[in-house]
Amino acid sequence: MAQADSHVHTLEVVEVIKETDAAISLVFEIPDALVHRFRYHPGQFLTLEVPSERTGSVARCYSLSSSPYLDDDAIVTVKRMPGGYASNWLCDNASVGMRLRVLAPSGVFVPKSLDADLLLLAAGSGSTPIMSIAKSALIAGTGTVLLVYANDDADAVIFGAELEEMAVEFPDRFTVVHWLVDERGLPTVPALRELLIPYPRYDAFVCGPASFMATCTAALRAIGMPESHIHHEKFQSLTGDPFADIELSGTDAESGAATATITLDGRTLELPWPRYRTLLEVLLANGYDAPFSCRAGECSACACTVRAGEVRMLRNETLVDADLALGLTLACQTVPVSDHVRVDFDQ
């Protein structure tokens, strides 16, 4: 039997920052031994295990608001959500010295190039991954960045002072437009279209409530922005336990195995792939930090591309026909059909 739980790590909170009356940032210190596992791209998130008296724990994803080009620590920002158990528990209980179990960074809401001109559209706590992208692009890239940030009122603006500092430091490359609902009403397609007309060739990243993202997407399409330039980030409450240990037993070997050739983090791996175990289970059981957050087919964090061979998915809640046509599959739900499969996580 092979077993590994190296996909689960414990990090200590070294600072709790009050961003607004309803939002905090948790600063996690990354031990030297885990630095390689917590390298991340701007726009990615961490999955935290939050204690629960009802179920023992719940798993929730929180975007990194820190920049890998600026910050030594990993920082996630949490906003209270009505009826949201985990967000409210963290806002009420998080303290310096607290240790939480955490999965390695994951997510695909990441610019392909920090040199591109970026149009960032955020509402509320949707500013969290957007902040990481903006800081990283300004520090490590060469393009211009426009941020349109919607909130109910001025008191709800997260990172307000930091955004002002960024605008002063990068006056020719960074512009922030605050959309306050108490002054301007909710964003509408015509109003956003008017604002965004000059930017159809930018790369757009959109994060916020579903209605806000739908409005932004319609406005971006209205100015003629190509679909390939529009990127969304959306989280769902995870129903499974992504922190559970992974085991491969002798029974798996008896079922026969395909051979998987996998490109992951610049390395090429070759592993036996039991017919009835998912690709993610095989990778985690062998100690490899593959990207994932839910292990239940409810997100797309573990999406990878099948370059050769045939697979089938047990469940798919996120990939659309266009994704499938490109060869994308969910590692947490994918089992082999052909004897050899070649898969690429580095896209």
Side-chain angles (χ1 to χ4, degrees):
M1 176 185 295
Q3 178 177 341
D5 61 0
S6 63
H7 67 288
V8 179
H9 313 284
T10 300
L11 298 181
E12 181 175 336
V13 177
V14 294
E15 187 178 0
V16 178
I17 303 169
K18 182 179 179 181
E19 302 287 359
T20 69
D21 288 343
I24 61 171
S25 289
L26 305 180
V27 182
F28 290 103
E29 183 178 46
I30 308 300
D32 290 343
L34 292 179
V35 166
H36 68 292
R37 291 191 180 273
F38 279 85
R39 292 193 180 101
Y40 64 95
H41 301 290
Q44 291 194 303
F45 59 83
L46 298 182
T47 304
L48 309 185
E49 185 181 59
V50 180
S52 168
E53 294 179 356
R54 294 173 293 179
T55 61
S57 67
V58 295
R60 293 293 183 267
C61 303
Y62 294 105
S63 292
L64 289 147
S65 53
S66 51
S67 165
Y69 301 95
L70 177 66
D71 303 293
D72 293 328
D73 298 319
I75 306 173
V76 299
T77 302
V78 181
K79 181 181 178 181
R80 290 183 185 274
M81 302 301 291
Y85 170 80
S87 63
N88 283 282
W89 190 94
L90 288 170
C91 286
D92 289 336
N93 296 281
S95 60
V96 173
M98 176 180 287
R99 294 170 65 81
L100 293 173
R101 296 216 300 168
V102 181
L103 302 183
S106 191
V108 295
F109 188 65
V110 176
K112 290 184 178 179
S113 170
L114 294 178
D115 293 324
D117 293 324
L118 300 177
L119 174 57
L120 309 179
L121 304 169
S125 59
S127 62
T128 305
I130 294 297
M131 192 64 173
S132 179
I133 293 171
K135 289 191 291 187
S136 299
L138 293 173
I139 293 167
T142 59
T144 59
V145 180
L146 169 65
L147 167 60
V148 179
Y149 186 17
N151 283 283
D152 289 337
D153 52 48
D155 291 338
V157 176
I158 305 173
F159 314 121
E162 192 171 359
L163 289 170
E164 289 183 12
E165 292 171 3
M166 291 162 60
V168 171
E169 185 175 357
F170 300 95
D172 298 327
R173 295 181 53 214
F174 181 64
T175 303
V176 56
V177 176
H178 288 287
W179 188 296
L180 302 181
V181 174
D182 66 344
E183 297 178 359
R184 306 179 64 175
L186 291 170
T188 64
V189 173
L192 283 178
R193 177 184 177 278
E194 187 68 22
L195 178 63
L196 304 178
I197 280 177
Y199 311 103
R201 298 305 167 199
Y202 278 42
D203 282 336
F205 289 80
V206 187
C207 189
S211 58
F212 171 79
M213 292 201 295
T215 299
C216 291
T217 301
L220 293 170
R221 289 171 177 162
I223 67 171
M225 180 172 286
E227 291 290 334
S228 60
H229 286 215
I230 304 174
H231 312 276
H232 306 89
E233 179 68 307
K234 50 188 176 182
F235 294 116
Q236 302 182 38
S237 292
L238 307 183
T239 57
D241 181 10
F243 291 87
D245 291 340
I246 301 291
E247 295 185 6
L248 298 184
S249 65
T251 305
D252 293 305
E254 293 170 4
S255 69
T259 299
T261 301
I262 304 157
T263 304
L264 176 65
D265 292 333
R267 297 178 296 175
T268 299
L269 318 171
E270 189 162 299
L271 299 171
W273 185 357
R275 297 285 178 178
Y276 303 108
R277 302 306 294 255
T278 68
L279 178 59
L280 184 63
E281 289 175 322
V282 171
L283 285 166
L284 296 182
N286 281 279
Y288 296 105
D289 250 346
F292 77 101
S293 63
C294 74
R295 279 168 44 181
E298 297 171 344
C299 73
S300 58
C302 67
C304 52
T305 303
V306 178
R307 301 296 186 189
E310 184 180 355
V311 301
R312 66 183 178 91
M313 273 191 290
L314 305 176
R315 180 185 182 191
N316 173 28
E317 298 290 335
T318 60
L319 298 182
V320 298
D321 289 344
D323 299 323
L324 301 176
L326 294 172
L328 288 174
T329 192
L330 300 176
C332 74
Q333 297 297 310
T334 295
V335 295
V337 174
S338 57
D339 291 334
H340 183 268
V341 182
R342 184 162 59 88
V343 178
D344 186 358
F345 280 90
D346 298 344
Q347 303 172 54

